[in-house]
Amino acid sequence: VAVAAGDAHMVGLKSDGTVVATGKNYYGLYDMSSWRDIVAVSAVDWHTVGLKSDGTVVATGYNKDGQCNVSSWRDIIAVSAGSSHTVGLKTDGTVVAAGDSCDVKGWTEIVSVAAGDYYTVGLKADGTVVATGKNDDGQCNVSGWRDIVAVSAGRWYTVGLKSDGTVVATGSNGDGQCDVSGWRDIVAVSAGDDHAVGLKSD
């Protein structure tokens, strides 16, 4: 019912709430045999995160920065795995984080989160965007964005989908991944390491 792709592995969420995986099994990426009642998954370079139906979270894989230390989380409705951190959106619109790039205290009225490489982006209910973490390439320069309905965090850049179906982007553009100004009629966006993808309404 859902899939998530990491750097060298892919995860599939089954309709019975269990999870399957394939690819390279570095750092215990596949240690999900005990996972049950999962409703969402997120995968990144070397760790995998699962959201349970009761609002708790499980994680497995590389944990050098504490990105898998999510066992105490409660009331979570969405998760996103970044390179060295994990972000969780709570039912009250606040955000929790584990690992590096975690300065999300004070965030409120958040409706969506996206974890990138050492930075985090949050979409607010009013269509504005907040960001924290590494900003060497300007990937966190989102303060002027308005009318955003979805965000996606790449390696060193951020993509935002606007309510009119156009797209904005900020950050590293060495491979043209931010060249989205001409896109129209977009209904979903996804940022990869060095490329961006948009789904059109047709």
Side-chain angles (χ1 to χ4, degrees):
V1 295
V3 291
D7 212 37
H9 74 295
M10 179 173 285
V11 179
L13 173 61
K14 300 189 71 174
S15 57
D16 64 359
T18 60
V19 179
V20 291
T22 189
K24 294 187 177 178
N25 192 19
Y26 298 132
Y27 307 110
L29 287 170
Y30 290 7
D31 295 344
M32 314 169 205
S33 59
S34 63
W35 288 15
R36 298 291 182 272
D37 304 315
I38 305 296
V39 295
V41 288
S42 183
V44 72
D45 296 355
W46 310 120
H47 76 286
T48 307
V49 181
L51 173 62
K52 300 192 73 172
S53 58
D54 64 359
T56 60
V57 180
V58 289
T60 188
Y62 191 60
N63 196 35
K64 180 183 176 185
D65 296 299
Q67 56 264 55
C68 292
N69 297 343
V70 297
S71 60
S72 64
W73 290 7
R74 299 293 181 269
D75 303 316
I76 306 297
I77 56 173
V79 290
S80 183
S83 287
S84 63
H85 66 300
T86 302
V87 181
L89 174 61
K90 300 194 72 173
T91 54
D92 63 0
T94 61
V95 179
V96 292
D100 195 11
S101 310
C102 295
D103 188 15
V104 294
K105 289 178 183 154
W107 285 14
T108 59
E109 300 179 1
I110 304 296
V111 295
S112 177
V113 289
D117 266 29
Y118 308 105
Y119 77 105
T120 302
V121 180
L123 173 62
K124 300 196 72 171
D126 64 0
T128 60
V129 181
V130 290
T132 187
K134 186 175 180 181
N135 193 33
D136 294 356
D137 293 286
Q139 58 266 53
C140 292
N141 296 344
V142 296
S143 60
W145 288 8
R146 299 291 182 269
D147 303 316
I148 304 297
V149 295
V151 290
S152 185
R155 180 177 285 174
W156 300 299
Y157 72 106
T158 305
V159 178
L161 172 62
K162 300 193 71 173
S163 57
D164 64 359
T166 61
V167 179
V168 290
T170 186
S172 174
N173 195 34
D175 293 292
Q177 60 266 48
C178 290
D179 295 341
V180 297
S181 61
W183 291 10
R184 299 291 182 270
D185 303 316
I186 306 298
V187 295
V189 290
S190 183
D193 275 359
D194 301 301
H195 69 294
V197 179
L199 173 64
K200 299 194 70 173
S201 57
D202 65 0

